[in-house]
Amino acid sequence: MSRILLKDGCVLSLDRKIGNFHRADVLIDGSTISEIGPDLRAGNAEVIDVSDSIVMPGFVDTHRHVWEGLFRNLGDRAPARGGDPGALSRQIGPAYRPEDVHAGNLVGLLGAVDAGITTVLDWSHIQATPEHTEAAIAAHHEAGLRAVFAYGAPWWRESDPTQADTLRRLASAHFAGADQLLTLALAPPGPEFASLESARADWELARELGIRISVHVGVGDYGRGGKLAEMARAGLLGADTTYVSCATLSDEEIGMIADSGGSFSLAAAAGMMMGYGMPPIQQLLDRQISPSLSVDAESNVPTDMFTQMRAVISIQHASLFDLKLAGKGGVPNLLTTRRILEFATIEGARANGLGDVTGSLTPGKQADLVVLRSDTPNIYPINDPIGAVVWGMDTSNVDSVFVAGKALKRDGELVGVDVARVSALAYSARDHVARTAGLELLTMEAVG
Ligand SMILES: [Zn+2]
C-alpha cells in the first residue's frame, strides 16, 4: 500500500482535538490519514515537501446540479434569473442525451477537483433513462472524487412510477460496496414543487433504502406556502435530510428542521443570483446551527468554495453592520473565519452523511485533503493562515488535491486528465443541447 508524507506544511486539521500546526507532517497510508504531527518518521513513504503550503481538508460541496456544468456563466442571459429555480433545467434538460450528461458531469466534477473540492453532492435530476444514469455515474468514476450521487427525476416530466424499482436496482448495482467513493441519496422535488403525497412516497422510499435525502425548500415565493410545516406535521422531517436554500421559510419552519436534526445547505451565491431570497444565515447562527455550503449551479456562480465562504461571511457581516448603523442594540457576533471554514469542510461532510469519513484531518479518516500554496503573489505574506484561505485564496492556490490518498491534482495540474478530450466533449455536448433546446448563447465566436 502506498504511503505519502506531506512534510513541513502549515496544517489546519479542522479537528478541534487535533488542532492546527504552524509546521507539521501528514502521513497518508493507503487511503487513510495515519498520523499528523511534527517530524514524523517517513520510513519508505514518498515525501512531498509542502513547506510553502497550507494543508487542510478538501472542501465539501453539499448540493450541485453537476450535469448543468455545460452551461457555466451564462451572464445576463441566464434563464433562471427572477426566482424560477427550474427555468434553466426545464429548458436544457429535455435536450440532454446520455453522452451530454457524461460530458456535463465530467467537466463539472473536474472543475470541482481543480478548485480543491474533494466531496460533492451531485443533485442529479437528469435521470430521464437508465442510460442517463449510467452516463452520470461513469463520469464520477472517471473524475475520481468522493461524491454523493443524489438521484432525481427530471423536473420537466410527470413523476416516474418506475423510480422506486430503478433506485432499488441502482442501490445494489452501484452502491453496495462499503468502501467506495460514491454513495447514493435521493433528490426529490419536495413539497414546494410536488404534492405532499408524492413527497411522502419519496421520503418513505429513501428510508426503506437507508439513504439520505436532499431537498430544496424556502425557494423564493415557493417557500412561502407553509409546505415545510405541512411536512413536519405529517411526521416526515428527520436527521437524514439536508434542506437546501431555506431562504423564505418562516422562523418557525427553520425551528422545525432544527428540532428534527436535519442539515442545512446554504447556496448563498446562486440563491441571490436567482432570486430565491436572502440566505437565512443569522437565523441559523442564532440557533447555534452550523450550515454547510453549496455551489448549486454554475450558470452564474464559479465552481469553487472560496466564493461560497466569502459570500456567506460577507452577507453576515454586512447585515450586522447595517443593524449597528441603524442604531440597533444587541447585535450578534461577527461570524469568524474559523467557523466559515468549518462550514465549507466538516459541516459539509456531516450534511453529506460522511462526517466520520472526511471533512477534517483526523487519523483514521480518509485522506481527502488539499495543499494550498502560500508562496504565490496573490497571498504572501501570510499573516493569518485561516484568514488567508477564507479571504484571499482562490483556485490558483490549489496546488494538490488528494481523495482517499490518491492524487487527483499535483503541482497545479489535474492528474491523468486529457484536457483536450474533456474540452472537446464539453463543447460538442454544449452545442448539441443549446441548439436542440433553443438556448441562445453569446459564444466566444459571437462576441464582437
Ligand atoms: Zn439547487
Side-chain angles (χ1 to χ4, degrees), residues 60-63 215 217-218 242-248 254 263-272 276-285 289-296 301 305 307-309 311-313 315-316 335 340 343-344 348 351:
V60 180
D61 179 353
T62 54
H63 138 253
V215 62
V217 292
T242 298
Y243 301 84
V244 174
S245 174
C246 305
T248 51
I254 286 183
S263 303
F264 293 83
S265 175
L266 295 178
M272 290 190 291
Y276 295 177
M278 285 301 283
I281 299 161
Q282 196 57 46
Q283 284 158 279
L284 301 183
L285 297 179
I289 293 168
S290 293
S292 66
L293 308 180
S294 61
V295 167
D296 191 352
V301 175
M305 299 301 284
T307 301
Q308 298 305 320
M309 291 193 290
V312 168
I313 197 169
I315 296 164
Q316 199 263 356
L335 183 55
I340 197 78
F343 296 175

Side-chain angles (χ1 to χ4, degrees), residues 77-258:
R77 300 181 184 204
R81 289 154 68 93
D84 181 356
L88 176 64
S89 59
R90 280 199 308 274
Q91 185 171 358
I92 61 175
Y96 267 66
R97 304 162 298 178
E99 59 262 48
D100 305 320
V101 177
H102 173 259
N105 258 31
L106 191 57
V107 76
L109 294 171
L110 291 176
V113 172
D114 192 51
I117 294 169
T118 50
T119 303
V120 64
L121 182 139
D122 180 8
W123 217 102
S124 194
H125 61 300
I126 187 65
Q127 311 307 326
T129 68
E131 289 73 31
H132 287 70
T133 305
E134 295 293 332
I137 291 173
H140 278 282
H141 289 308
E142 213 171 322
L145 72 167
R146 194 175 304 282
V148 180
F149 181 71
Y151 180 99
W155 286 353
W156 47 94
R157 291 200 321 210
E158 294 299 307
S159 65
D160 176 5
T162 67
Q163 175 176 272
D165 288 338
T166 304
L167 266 176
R168 287 189 194 101
R169 183 186 57 78
L170 263 185
S172 60
H174 285 291
F175 300 91
D179 180 24
Q180 61 175 38
L181 294 176
L182 276 182
T183 49
L184 183 63
L186 186 61
E192 293 176 16
F193 304 99
S195 68
L196 182 63
E197 280 323 297
S198 73
R200 186 194 302 278
D202 286 334
W203 262 249
E204 285 173 356
L205 173 62
R207 283 163 185 168
E208 173 203 319
L209 293 169
I211 60 177
R212 288 187 64 82
I213 302 158
S214 174
V215 62
H216 299 80
V217 292
V219 177
D221 282 337
Y222 298 95
R224 298 185 201 274
K227 300 288 187 185
L228 190 282
E230 279 179 32
M231 276 193 72
R233 284 193 291 272
L236 294 180
L237 305 193
D240 56 359
T241 304
T242 298
Y243 301 84
V244 174
S245 174
C246 305
T248 51
L249 294 182
S250 69
D251 201 50
E252 183 195 7
E253 288 177 310
I254 286 183
M256 289 169 163
I257 296 174

Side-chain angles (χ1 to χ4, degrees), residues 31-52:
S31 65
T32 58
I33 297 166
S34 71
E35 242 183 303
I36 301 171
D39 303 317
L40 298 182
R41 276 222 280 257
N44 60 353
E46 176 193 355
V47 177
I48 300 174
D49 177 2
V50 291
S51 56
D52 286 329

Side-chain angles (χ1 to χ4, degrees), residues 299-420:
S299 49
N300 266 341
V301 175
T303 181
D304 66 275
M305 299 301 284
F306 301 103
T307 301
Q308 298 305 320
M309 291 193 290
R310 291 199 270 271
V312 168
I313 197 169
S314 297
I315 296 164
Q316 199 263 356
H317 287 194
S319 304
L320 298 195
F321 287 130
D322 260 0
L323 292 175
K324 284 188 178 168
L325 286 169
K328 299 268 167 49
V331 175
N333 294 327
L334 292 174
L335 183 55
T336 64
T337 48
R338 162 88 200 202
R339 276 196 84 193
I340 197 78
L341 199 54
E342 289 173 346
F343 296 175
T345 52
I346 182 62
E347 296 302 341
R350 288 183 182 132
N352 279 343
L354 297 168
D356 295 333
V357 175
T358 188
S360 64
L361 301 187
T362 305
K365 276 195 178 183
Q366 291 282 290
D368 295 355
L369 51 87
V370 291
V371 177
L372 303 172
R373 286 187 64 161
S374 57
D375 62 346
T376 50
N378 69 330
I379 208 68
Y380 63 75
I382 303 287
N383 299 308
D384 172 340
I386 294 179
V389 175
V390 170
W391 288 114
M393 285 196 176
D394 56 43
T395 302
S396 72
N397 295 96
V398 180
D399 176 84
S400 300
V401 178
F402 293 83
V403 172
K406 185 178 174 199
L408 301 186
K409 185 177 184 183
R410 281 292 305 275
D411 301 325
E413 301 285 341
L414 293 175
V415 176
V417 174
D418 182 345
V419 175

